[in-house]
Amino acid sequence: MSVARCQNRRVTPLFPTAALQDATLYDEPLRPQFHFTAKKGWLNDPNGLVFHKGRYHLFFQHNPFGVQWGNMTWGHAVSPDLVHWTELDSALTPDAMGTEFSGSAVIDKSGILGEGRGVMALFYTAAGGTNPESQGKPFTQCLATSVDGTTFVKSPGNPVLAHQEGENRDPKVVWHAPSRTWVMALYLADDRYGLFGSSDLKSWKKLSEVVLPGTSECPDFFELPVDGNRRNRLWVFWGANGNYRLGSFDGQSFRAGTAVLSTDAGPNFYAAQTYSDEPKGRRVQIGWMRGSDFKDCDWNQQMSFPRTVRLKSTPLGARLAFEPVSSLQSLRTRRLPPEQDGDSQVFRSSTGLFEIRGRWRAVSQGRFNLDVLGTAVSYDFGTKTMKIGSHERKIEAVDGFVDMTLLADRASLELFAQDGEVTGHLFAPADPAARDVRLIGAGGETPARLDVYELRSAWKGTKDRRSR
């Protein structure tokens, strides 16, 4: 894998106040233009994804003092549409109980926390001895609240869940309506997770355990209808590496109805979480694009682009499927016309940012080949294999066609194929001068449809997002 290195880096201290006011922030040569990155410092797991008072909140593991992992703090950004983000001050900072590891957020609509209706509740892991102030203390689960979604107060009753075992961490809290119970999924150790129940978000008791072979950390737990049928619903238990199982949940135990399933064909997707209280009734997911290593930059790592999650019927049973959120279209500037270059078609852009939607009629032999900002993407109809960079995955035709959506940013490619059932996330730094997509001919299959859209930056022209 190539390593992205910043160009024309300003020689300044890492976090001077003046730098945060610099008009060039978010316009650096390698800065992703529609994938979220922190203004400065290291970023990893998305945390506390929740919609509150008209804004999507994205909290995230953040090191505000350097570009490598450490000093874990909850960074904080908000958006009206999941595309245009404004980074705010840190929400949670280390204390005597430890640094602030991953967790989730819900909205207290009934007022059970005693602070009125509509209060935001953050659940996070106090990571014990990872902080010099907390040497010898165990990992525990804690609560913080906010009325306005900007100022956060840690509960004086912390921890709300005492240490269970090992480095138990990453609480994901959801509401289970039939039992009128709040449920917390928590990583315990090895491939084991615990489910805990509460009626007041403050006192928790263990309900059961879940095993997700080959998986650890960062659980997500949610229910979805199959093919939109509300009478046919399944629960999804998801782990950090994207492995998941489908099954049922009765308020006490999750009963898996499938083997461990996976979706992602690339190496750079981890610790994904879905939104709570999404106002449109969608299930929206964001993951950390782990391995996005920006050398010599003032920031490091990036998030995936937000995507909707659904359950669809397949010949093998129900499976998860994904699609970029529709607000991506707000970044489209134009549909690019192809230019002929020998036996290839070239789509040239002034921004170097692309949304590519292709469809090929399935045939018995042959292949198609794309070059996207220098990264090869191909599909072999004989072996039914999609390849993105050096990574490959079997892709079946759907209704006689092979389709795909590709998102290309300055340092990433994201693939959605097989009606969204197969995805791929690849850290792929582009040459800053690269501005084109090439459909390579030389005997390749002709697409039934290929739409290539030029995208604009989500940051440019929004001065307040740069300086706040």
Side-chain angles (χ1 to χ4, degrees), residues 273-288:
Q273 187 176 125
T274 59
Y275 267 88
S276 173
D277 294 88
E278 208 285 329
K280 298 180 180 180
R282 303 174 298 179
R283 180 63 55 176
V284 176
Q285 184 183 65
I286 297 176
W288 165 37

Side-chain angles (χ1 to χ4, degrees), residues 262-263 312 314 319-322 393 417-423:
S262 64
T263 66
K312 68 168 190 172
T314 78
R319 295 291 186 268
L320 291 179
F322 307 88
R393 178 75 177 256
Q418 197 172 312
D419 191 30
E421 188 180 337
V422 176
T423 62

